[in-house]
Amino acid sequence: MVWQTIKRWYHMLGSPRYFYTFSSLVLPWLTPIALVTLLTGLVWGLGFAPSDYQQGNSYRIIFIHVPASSGALMGYMALGVAGLVAVVWRMKMAEVMLKAIAPFGAALAAISLVTGALWGKPTWGTYWQWDARMTSMLILLFMYVGVIALQNVIRDPRQAARAAGLLAMVGVINVIIVKYSVEWVQTLHQGSTLKLFGESTINPAMKYPLLISMLGLWLLYAVNVLMRARTEVMWRERRSKWVAKLVTRPEKGER
Amino acid sequence: MNPVRKQRLLLVLAVLVGLAIAVGLMFYALRQNINLFYTPQQVASGEAPLNTQMRVGGLVEAGSVVRNEETLDVSFDITDGKGSFTVHYQGILPDLFREGQGIVANGTLISRERFEAEEVLAKHDETYMPPEVQDALEKAGHPGAQKSSE
C-alpha cells in the first residue's frame, strides 16, 4: 500500500507537467515558512543565544557555518540520487533536478569554506590548514563546480545530464569522506557538533537556534531547487502545448 | 525491472563500488600523510622523524607553561597520556591557548624530548556552553568541566 503510493508519486512527479502544477501549489506557502524559520534561527542564534565559555561571541558564526555545511553535504547527496536516476532510468525530471540542485549547493559550500576560515583565525590562529576536513570540503566545492560546468559544456541536454549524473554519483564518495574525516584521521577541525546518534555536547540554549537555522536553510534550499526546476522544465518543454497554453493564457493559481 | 536498466544499474554500482574501494585503499595507504599531525605517542615511539618540518598535536600539560618575562619565548609540555615532550616557541600564542587545551604545533623535532615550533595553533572541541554553566560544572566538580581539551 505504502509502496504503491510512493510509486504513484514517483510517476506523477516524474511528469514535467504535473511537477509544474504541484510546485505552483507548494511554493506559495513553502517560501514564507522557509524564510521565517531561517530568520528565527539566525536572530535567535546571533542575537540571543548565550556566549560560549571558551570562545566568547566568536563561536556565533556556527549558526551560519554549520547550516551552510550541512546544506552543501545534503545537497550533494540529493545530486547523487538525481544522477543515479538520470543515468539508469533516464528520467527527465531527474535531469532537471541535476541542474536545479547544483548552484545553491555550490554557493553553500563556498559559504562554509569562507565562514570556516573566518572562524578559524580567531580561535585556532589560522585561516586555513590542509587538514582532511578542510581539504575534502574544498574538493566538494570543486565537485559542485564540475557538475555545473559539465552540464554547460555539452550541448545536448540529455547527454549532458548523463555525464554530470555520473560525476555527481562519484562525488558522493567524497561526501562520506567529508563527514567522517574528523573521526578517521587527526585534524585541526573538531568533531561534529550535532551527532546523528548519541548526545551532542552543545548546550541546549545554543542547540535549538542552531537546529532551527539548519531547518530554515534546508527549506530555503528546497524552495530554490523548486524554482530552478520550474524554469528548467519550462525551457525543456517549450515546444509542448501545455507550456504554450500556460504562457499565453495562464489559469488562476498557475504563474 | 527492464533488462537494459538493470544492466545499467549493475554497471553503475560496479563502478561506484570499485571506485569506493580504490579511494578507501588510497586513504588507508596515505593515512599518515592525511593525518595533520603526529601524536606524542608517535614521537616517543620514534615513528615521527627527527629534524624534518612537521606538525605535532596534543594537550598542553597543566603547570608546564614557562614564559620568559622579557621576550616572547614560551615553552610547555604536550601529552596524550602515552608520551610527552617539550615544545619551545617564540611568538604570540592563539587566544584559546591554555593549560589542558589541545594544540597543533608546526616546526621541527630536535630530539624525542624537544620540539622547536614556528607556529602554534589551538584546537577546540565541539562542546559549547555558556560561561555560567561551565562555572557551575567546575564548582560541582563534574568531570565535564575538564573536557575543555582535545
Side-chain angles (χ1 to χ4, degrees):
Chain A
M1 187 61 208
V2 178
W3 180 240
Q4 291 287 319
T5 319
I6 292 174
K7 219 170 158 184
R8 203 175 68 229
W9 270 79
Y10 177 81
H11 286 293
M12 288 204 307
L13 284 176
S15 139
R17 186 179 178 178
Y18 183 85
F19 168 81
Y20 198 90
T21 325
F22 172 79
S23 57
S24 304
L25 293 174
V26 169
L27 275 177
W29 54 264
L30 189 61
T31 314
I33 289 179
L35 288 174
V36 167
T37 314
L38 181 61
L39 215 66
T40 310
L42 285 183
V43 169
W44 185 357
L46 297 178
F48 297 99
S51 62
D52 181 54
Y53 75 109
Q54 248 189 352
Q55 304 178 30
N57 282 322
S58 57
Y59 95 99
R60 281 181 206 278
I61 204 164
I62 198 175
F63 297 108
I64 299 167
H65 180 72
V66 169
S69 315
S70 71
L73 290 179
M74 294 224 317
Y76 205 96
M77 289 307 279
L79 205 63
V81 173
L84 181 72
V85 178
V87 168
V88 175
W89 285 272
R90 307 271 151 101
M91 195 173 150
K92 274 188 192 167
M93 275 315 293
E95 295 174 6
V96 170
M97 282 303 170
L98 210 48
K99 211 159 179 190
I101 292 169
F104 203 82
L108 290 184
I111 291 173
S112 161
L113 287 168
V114 171
T115 52
L118 293 178
W119 190 7
K121 188 63 185 171
T123 53
W124 300 334
T126 180
Y127 287 112
W128 185 264
Q129 284 286 306
W130 291 101
D131 90 341
R133 171 52 78 78
M134 290 160 225
T135 311
S136 57
M137 197 64 197
L138 186 65
I139 294 174
L140 182 76
L141 175 64
F142 292 159
M143 295 302 287
Y144 265 120
V145 173
V147 169
I148 297 170
L150 206 53
Q151 280 168 329
N152 287 319
V153 90
I154 302 172
R155 188 157 287 178
D156 175 31
R158 304 223 62 183
Q159 227 155 20
R162 261 172 257 160
L166 208 59
L167 186 61
M169 274 187 282
V170 169
V172 168
I173 298 171
N174 181 54
V175 174
I176 296 162
I177 294 178
V178 175
K179 175 88 181 86
Y180 291 103
S181 53
V182 286
E183 288 168 35
W184 290 340
V185 293
Q186 307 281 11
T187 53
L188 180 61
H189 196 287
Q190 67 280 7
S192 306
T193 306
L194 300 165
K195 291 172 187 68
L196 223 48
F197 307 105
E199 213 176 320
S200 318
T201 44
I202 180 168
N203 190 273
M206 304 159 172
K207 187 169 81 179
Y208 291 115
L210 183 57
L211 289 174
I212 293 170
S213 318
M214 266 166 88
L215 182 68
L217 197 69
W218 293 351
L219 291 175
L220 197 67
Y221 197 164
V223 167
N224 186 270
V225 167
L226 287 181
M227 280 163 57
R228 277 175 194 281
R230 282 160 64 83
T231 321
E232 184 66 19
V233 160
M234 280 274 253
W235 172 251
R236 284 178 179 234
E237 303 286 312
R238 64 192 179 280
R239 293 195 185 86
S240 72
K241 265 189 193 149
W242 71 269
V243 172
K245 184 169 166 260
L246 196 71
V247 173
T248 48
R249 292 187 299 276
E251 275 167 38
K252 217 178 157 199
E254 283 182 340
R255 282 175 294 140
Chain B
M1 206 188 327
N2 122 10
V4 180
R5 285 176 190 165
K6 199 167 180 177
Q7 204 181 359
R8 278 201 295 248
L9 183 63
L10 287 177
L11 188 71
V12 163
L13 287 181
V15 168
L16 285 185
V17 169
L19 216 63
I21 292 173
V23 170
L25 287 174
M26 226 161 70
F27 215 76
Y28 186 75
L30 296 175
R31 207 176 174 75
Q32 189 51 59
N33 289 337
I34 293 170
N35 278 330
L36 188 71
F37 52 82
Y38 286 98
T39 61
Q41 187 188 10
Q42 286 171 312
V43 169
S45 72
E47 209 181 308
L50 290 174
N51 299 317
T52 358
Q53 184 80 23
M54 61 171 209
R55 291 192 198 87
V56 292
L59 305 179
V60 180
E61 229 165 282
S64 72
V65 182
V66 182
R67 287 175 204 270
N68 188 313
E69 294 291 312
E70 265 117 55
T71 63
L72 288 173
D73 283 1
V74 59
S75 75
F76 51 87
D77 294 350
I78 66 171
T79 176
D80 60 354
K82 288 163 193 144
S84 148
F85 58 89
T86 307
V87 174
H88 177 251
Y89 176 62
Q90 188 171 30
I92 296 165
L93 291 163
D95 287 353
L96 283 192
F97 181 93
R98 61 197 72 178
E99 290 174 358
Q101 185 78 18
I103 62 118
V104 175
N106 188 358
T108 41
L109 199 61
I110 305 298
S111 70
R112 298 278 155 218
E113 286 81 41
R114 187 173 169 82
F115 186 85
E116 283 294 327
E118 287 154 22
E119 186 185 29
V120 173
L121 305 175
K123 261 170 83 80
H124 66 81
D125 64 1
E126 62 273 25
T127 305
Y128 304 93
M129 56 183 148
E132 309 87 68
V133 176
Q134 158 75 3
D135 289 347
L137 282 179
E138 230 158 43
K139 263 184 212 137
H142 193 275
Q146 301 303 314
K147 275 189 69 186
S148 62
S149 46
E150 225 275 297

